[in-house]
Amino acid sequence: QCFSNYKKALTQRNLLLKKGSKDLVNLKAWEQSMISSGLILNQFRQRYLDKLIPKFKIILTGFNSVLDININYHHGWGQTLTEFNDKNLLNTLNDSRIKDFELGYSNRGAHRADLRINCDNNLAKDQLSRGQQKLVLIALKLAQASMLSDDCLFLIDDLSAELDSKTIRQILKYLKKNQIQTVMTCLDPEDNLFQEFSDQMFHVKHGSVMAVN
């Protein structure tokens, strides 16, 4: 409900900006709705990350990774804003209003929030190999799944690509130990790792599916 309220207010503010409307009374009313919803959204997101990040680090370490990974939350209201309250968010929207009219949309707010994954103070995408990026992503998705009340079904395509056998074993052991239902593809049906950890394997050839164990 909170996100729906924020999205509605954002849409209405953007419509007024795009039209170049001088109806500041209406504009400020929608801004106040953005602010009240945005404050709650930020609290939800911060609490979620406070729980997610420790789980992510535990899982990543369990894969024998020595990567120093940090997940940084950028709230979207501007990097100079450090204290969240109605007054500060209102000032942010006031300060960006002229630019927003030029752009025709709101360039500050909860909709601009982002997660940035860093390694050794650099963006992970610029610092890590493709295999390392893949491992970080897998650990992050597993951490997210562990926070859900319902069971997850993971679809993993070609796990062995860009990962060594030791790392693959650690991932498969985690999935098995935590009883995570997984559908996985691999190019080598004779791979002993997949045979060891799978409950059922199938071979797909020319559109036909055949059980192989």
Side-chain angles (χ1 to χ4, degrees):
Q1 183 63 42
C2 178
F3 181 77
S4 297
N5 291 341
Y6 179 87
K7 187 176 180 180
K8 179 180 179 181
L10 173 65
T11 299
Q12 294 301 319
R13 184 178 191 266
N14 284 346
L15 285 174
L16 292 172
L17 292 172
K18 193 171 184 179
K19 292 178 180 177
S21 174
K22 301 303 180 182
D23 183 2
L24 293 182
V25 173
N26 202 16
L27 186 68
K28 289 181 179 180
W30 289 117
E31 287 178 349
Q32 189 56 53
S33 182
M34 281 180 64
I35 290 169
S36 58
S37 301
L39 284 168
I40 299 172
L41 273 176
N42 184 71
Q43 291 173 357
F44 281 148
R45 289 167 172 172
Q46 193 62 65
R47 285 201 296 264
Y48 176 80
L49 287 172
D50 287 343
K51 295 179 181 179
L52 175 69
I53 292 174
K55 292 178 180 293
F56 160 75
K57 288 183 175 292
I58 290 173
I59 293 172
L60 186 63
T61 302
F63 295 156
N64 293 326
S65 172
V66 295
L67 296 174
D68 182 19
I69 300 295
N70 292 298
I71 300 178
N72 299 309
Y73 169 55
H74 293 256
H75 48 63
W77 292 89
Q79 296 312 305
T80 58
L81 181 65
T82 56
E83 185 176 350
F84 266 73
N85 55 52
D86 291 67
K87 181 180 179 180
N88 286 344
L89 297 192
L90 180 59
N91 288 337
T92 296
L93 292 180
N94 286 338
D95 293 342
S96 66
R97 191 175 293 146
I98 293 177
K99 182 177 181 180
D100 289 350
F101 269 117
E102 293 174 351
L103 295 171
Y105 60 86
S106 305
N107 80 103
R108 292 285 186 270
H111 60 291
R112 303 283 291 181
D114 192 19
L115 288 182
R116 296 179 187 173
I117 302 176
N118 293 339
C119 179
D120 297 329
N121 297 319
N122 295 307
L123 286 176
K125 66 178 183 178
D126 299 328
Q127 183 83 0
L128 302 181
S129 67
R130 292 181 61 181
Q132 290 171 326
Q133 291 181 43
K134 183 174 182 177
L135 183 62
V136 168
L137 180 59
I138 289 172
L140 182 58
K141 291 300 180 183
L142 290 173
Q144 288 179 298
S146 71
M147 295 178 63
L148 297 176
S149 57
D150 297 326
D151 292 336
C152 286
L153 170 64
F154 274 83
L155 306 177
I156 304 178
D157 180 40
D158 199 9
L159 177 64
S160 56
E162 297 157 344
L163 294 177
D164 59 57
S165 59
K166 184 177 180 180
T167 301
I168 295 171
R169 175 177 289 277
Q170 293 297 327
I171 294 171
L172 294 176
K173 283 177 64 177
Y174 179 91
L175 294 171
K176 190 81 170 181
K177 178 181 178 181
N178 291 277
Q179 298 182 329
I180 298 175
Q181 187 175 9
T182 308
V183 176
M184 189 179 305
T185 65
C186 64
L187 297 179
D188 184 4
E190 302 303 322
D191 193 319
N192 292 330
L193 272 176
F194 292 99
Q195 291 186 13
E196 178 182 350
F197 288 98
S198 66
D199 295 316
Q200 179 67 62
M201 291 186 67
F202 300 89
H203 181 59
V204 180
K205 185 176 183 180
H206 304 308
S208 298
V209 181
M210 181 182 301
V212 295
N213 73 334

